[in-house]
Amino acid sequence: MKTIQGMKFSIIVFAAISLFASCGSSGKPSNIESKEEEKYEEEGSEVILTEAQFKTAGISFGVIESKQISGTFKANGVLDVPPQNKVSISVAMGGFLKQTSLLEGKRVRKGEMIAVIENPEYVGMQQDYLEAKSQLEYAKADYGRQQELGKENINAQKTLQQSKASFQTLSAKVNGLKEKIKVSGLSLTAVENGNIQSSINIYSPINGFVTEINANIGKFVNPTDVLFEIVDTEHLHAELTVFEKDVPKLEIGQKVRFTLANETTERIAKVYLIGREIGADRTVRIHCHIEKEDIHLLPGMYLKAVVETGQMQVPALPDEAIVDYQGQKYIFVASDRKEKTDTINRKEGGESEYHFEMIAIQLGNSDVGYAEVILPEGVDKAKIVVKGAYSLLSKMKNSEEEGEHH
C-alpha cells in the first residue's frame, strides 16, 4: 500500500516539475508571446510625436480632393525619320572609289557631288552603245529598202523577214544600252557626242547630314554595297513601342510628353499613326509627330514617353502627402484606434502626444503636383497628413533602429 502511495506522489511531483520547467524555459506562456509579437507588429506602423516634435515637423492635415487628372501610360521609343528622309547611296555598276570629301556629320545639299567612281568597264559599255547605234541606222535603212522591194515583189519574203529581225534586235540592244548608261550615272548626251567617260559622278539626292561612310579612296565597291548614308533630320518623329494592353487607350491626336536619355527637357509630340499589327513581343509601333523640331536631335536617340489619354475626375492627394518606403507607397493618418480615445493624448505631466498610423495605398495617374489614390476601407479621410509626411517616416525609421539596438 505504501508503495502505491509513493508512486502516486512521484507522478504528481514529476508533473509539477515538468509544468514549471516548460514555463521557465520561455519565461512566459506561448499565448503571451504571440500577443506581444502582434502588438509589436501593430506598433511598427505607428508614429508618436511629442508636442515639440509635432510643431517642428510642420504637420498639417487635409482631405481627399476630387481632381481632374490626365489618364496616362508610359512607353519607350526612339527618334526616327521617314523612309524618304533617309537615303543609302550605292552605285548601279561596280567601280573604284576615286574621290570623295565626305566625313560623318557633314551637311550636304541636294544635287551636290559627293563622290567619283571609276571603272574601265564603263568605256566598253559606251563603245557597245555607239557601235549598236551605228548598226541600227544601217539596219533601219536596209529594212526600209526591203519593204519597198517587197511591195513590188522583187525580193524574197525571207530576205524581208531577216532584215526586219535584224532591225528589231539592234533596236532592242540600243534601247537596253541607253537605259544602262542612264542608270549607271554616265551622261548619255556626252556619249552620243562621242565623249567616252571612264568615271561617273555621284550626287546627293536630298539635303541632310552624312551618318555613315563605308568606303575609302581606292576601294572597289559592288552594286550591293552601301557607300554612304544621308539623313534629313528636319522631319524627325518619335517611334513608340506600346504594349498590347495599352493599345485600346490610343487615339489619333493624343498628346505625348517625352524626354531623351540624360535630358530633363520635356518635349511634346502628337500621335499621328497607330500600327495595325501586334509584334511577337506583344507590342504595337506608334508614329508621333514632334511639335517643335530641333536640328540637334539625331535618329536613333532613345526616349521615354508619357501618352495622355484624357482627363478624369478622380480622388487625389498632393504628392508631398505620399511617401515611398521599401518600394510601397504610404500615407499617414491621425490614429483612431479603439484603445485611444483621441488623436492627442496627454501624459501625467500634461505633455501632449500625437499618434499617427502609416497606411499602404495604391496610386493611379499623377499630374500637376497631385496623384490619384486608392485607399483601403475604413481610413478616416478627414485626418490625412498632407504636409510633413516624410518627417513622420524619418521618425518611424529612427524608432525602428533604436528598437533594434536595444
Side-chain angles (χ1 to χ4, degrees):
M1 190 72 173
K2 287 182 181 179
T3 305
I4 294 171
Q5 288 177 349
M7 288 177 65
K8 287 182 178 179
F9 177 78
S10 299
I11 291 169
I12 292 169
V13 170
F14 178 78
I17 291 170
S18 299
L19 178 63
F20 178 79
S22 64
C23 292
S25 64
S26 62
K28 294 187 185 110
S30 59
N31 63 335
I32 295 175
E33 275 188 1
S34 63
K35 285 182 179 177
E36 287 205 349
E37 287 175 3
E38 185 179 340
K39 184 178 179 183
Y40 176 79
E41 288 176 2
E42 288 179 355
E43 291 182 350
S45 61
E46 186 182 38
V47 182
I48 302 173
L49 298 184
T50 64
E51 190 167 1
Q53 289 172 330
F54 180 83
K55 290 177 180 178
T56 303
I59 304 293
S60 64
F61 299 101
V63 296
I64 293 284
E65 300 179 50
S66 182
K67 288 281 184 183
Q68 271 201 343
I69 292 182
S70 296
T72 61
F73 65 87
K74 295 180 180 179
N76 295 323
V78 294
L79 292 180
D80 205 352
V81 292
Q84 62 269 29
N85 287 58
K86 185 176 182 179
V87 178
S88 297
I89 307 295
S90 301
V91 289
M93 294 182 61
F96 295 93
L97 182 59
K98 182 180 180 182
Q99 177 187 332
T100 185
S101 59
L102 293 188
L103 294 171
E104 285 192 17
K106 183 178 179 180
R107 184 176 181 84
V108 294
R109 299 288 180 183
K110 183 177 181 179
E112 178 183 341
M113 190 184 79
I114 57 176
V116 177
I117 303 293
E118 187 176 51
N119 193 335
E121 291 183 7
Y122 298 159
V123 175
M125 182 176 62
Q126 294 167 84
Q127 287 177 334
D128 290 343
Y129 171 72
L130 292 175
E131 289 175 3
K133 187 182 177 185
S134 178
Q135 292 171 1
L136 177 61
E137 291 176 359
Y138 174 79
K140 184 179 180 180
D142 183 61
Y143 178 49
R145 286 195 300 270
Q146 295 301 330
Q147 282 180 314
E148 291 297 327
L149 293 173
K151 290 177 184 179
E152 299 176 5
N153 294 320
I154 297 175
N155 62 340
Q157 190 67 23
K158 182 180 178 181
T159 304
L160 176 60
Q161 289 176 344
Q162 287 176 340
S163 177
K164 181 181 179 180
S166 178
F167 168 71
Q168 290 179 336
T169 300
L170 286 169
S171 180
K173 183 177 181 180
V174 167
N175 288 333
L177 288 169
K178 183 188 290 186
E179 291 304 314
K180 199 172 181 180
I181 287 172
K182 286 180 181 179
V183 171
S184 69
L186 293 166
S187 171
L188 183 62
T189 304
V191 175
E192 289 180 339
N193 290 332
N195 297 322
I196 304 297
Q197 307 153 71
S198 62
S199 61
I200 57 174
N201 298 332
I202 306 295
Y203 300 93
S204 175
I206 62 170
N207 296 323
F209 293 90
V210 179
T211 57
E212 280 190 31
I213 298 177
N214 300 315
N216 51 269
I217 302 296
K219 181 178 180 180
F220 186 88
V221 291
N222 294 299
T224 55
D225 296 336
V226 175
L227 286 170
F228 316 107
E229 280 197 355
I230 300 173
V231 175
D232 181 1
T233 58
E234 290 185 4
H235 301 288
L236 282 171
H237 65 263
E239 196 79 15
L240 304 184
T241 302
V242 174
F243 287 106
E244 182 181 6
K245 65 181 179 65
D246 294 319
V247 172
K249 305 174 188 176
L250 287 168
E251 289 182 10
I252 302 297
Q254 284 174 331
K255 185 178 178 181
V256 177
R257 295 180 280 116
F258 71 92
T259 55
L260 302 175
N262 303 321
E263 259 196 10
T264 56
T265 304
E266 192 172 75
R267 303 172 191 271
I268 305 298
K270 285 188 177 181
V271 176
Y272 183 73
L273 289 174
I274 301 171
R276 296 299 172 186
E277 183 179 4
I278 296 177
D281 56 354
R282 313 310 300 171
T283 61
V284 172
R285 302 298 292 272
I286 307 300
H287 179 97
C288 304
H289 280 185
I290 300 173
E291 194 172 86
K292 188 177 180 181
E293 294 179 350
D294 188 341
I295 61 171
H296 299 294
L297 301 181
L298 298 174
M301 285 183 167
Y302 285 98
L303 59 89
K304 293 182 178 181
V306 174
V307 182
E308 297 185 359
T309 59
Q311 290 192 327
M312 296 178 291
Q313 204 79 16
V314 294
L317 282 173
D319 290 341
E320 57 185 327
I322 302 161
V323 297
D324 190 313
Y325 182 55
Q326 295 181 346
Q328 173 66 48
K329 301 296 182 182
Y330 295 91
I331 61 169
F332 284 94
V333 296
S335 178
D336 57 355
R337 292 184 179 180
K338 293 180 181 178
E339 66 265 22
K340 299 180 180 66
T341 56
D342 293 304
T343 301
I344 305 172
N345 292 335
R346 290 191 176 276
K347 292 183 177 179
E348 293 179 3
E351 187 180 0
S352 299
E353 280 186 346
Y354 295 79
H355 295 256
F356 302 92
E357 189 174 0
M358 189 168 74
I359 306 292
I361 62 168
Q362 297 295 323
L363 287 187
N365 295 310
S366 60
D367 191 19
V368 198
Y370 279 81
E372 179 187 358
V373 292
I374 303 166
L375 272 62
E377 292 183 7
V379 175
D380 190 342
K381 298 178 182 179
K383 297 180 180 179
I384 296 173
V385 175
V386 293
K387 286 187 180 180
Y390 272 97
S391 297
L392 292 174
L393 180 64
S394 178
K395 176 67 167 63
M396 189 189 75
K397 288 180 179 178
N398 291 338
S399 299
E400 286 180 355
E401 289 174 2
E402 288 174 7
E404 287 175 3
H405 291 316
H406 288 306

